[in-house]
Amino acid sequence: MATSAEFEAAAQRAQQLPSKPSNTVLLQLYALYKQASEGDVSGDRPGGFDFKAIAKYDAWSSLKGKSQDDARQEYVSLVDSLFQGV
């Protein structure tokens, strides 16, 4: 399992990626970060034409039930994999 320090370090590294990942990977990073830091999604799903907010909500909601520890580990692994191709 990734420690809180490893998770925070990965979050900092994610801000320094040499190239922008695909939108799918960005949503995965967002969802894992939110699940790891806050737990299951809360609040109502955004409505209207705010497609970005809807996509973020849906990505986070798809992780409902995943433990914060598991999400933290997956987030660290994903960030590490993004740097391996560099």
Side-chain angles (χ1 to χ4, degrees), residues 17 19-30 78 82:
L17 289 169
S19 60
K20 183 179 177 184
S22 69
N23 286 339
T24 302
V25 173
L26 288 172
L27 282 172
Q28 189 177 11
L29 284 168
Y30 172 82
L78 179 56
L82 293 172

Side-chain angles (χ1 to χ4, degrees), residues 3-84:
T3 65
S4 293
E6 290 170 327
F7 175 70
E8 291 302 323
Q12 291 298 318
R13 288 181 67 209
Q15 300 297 317
Q16 301 164 356
L17 289 169
S19 60
K20 183 179 177 184
S22 69
N23 286 339
T24 302
V25 173
L26 288 172
L27 282 172
Q28 189 177 11
L29 284 168
Y30 172 82
L32 286 169
Y33 182 86
K34 294 293 275 185
Q35 188 71 18
S37 59
E38 297 182 29
D40 286 343
V41 69
S42 60
D44 295 329
R45 183 176 189 258
F49 294 101
D50 192 352
F51 300 115
K52 185 176 180 180
I54 292 169
K56 286 175 145 184
Y57 182 93
D58 289 348
W60 185 10
S61 179
S62 73
L63 299 179
K64 191 171 189 172
K66 183 181 290 288
S67 75
Q68 287 182 277
D69 287 339
D70 287 347
R72 188 179 305 121
Q73 179 61 50
E74 287 183 38
Y75 181 86
V76 170
S77 296
L78 179 56
V79 171
D80 287 346
S81 73
L82 293 172
F83 275 95
Q84 286 179 0

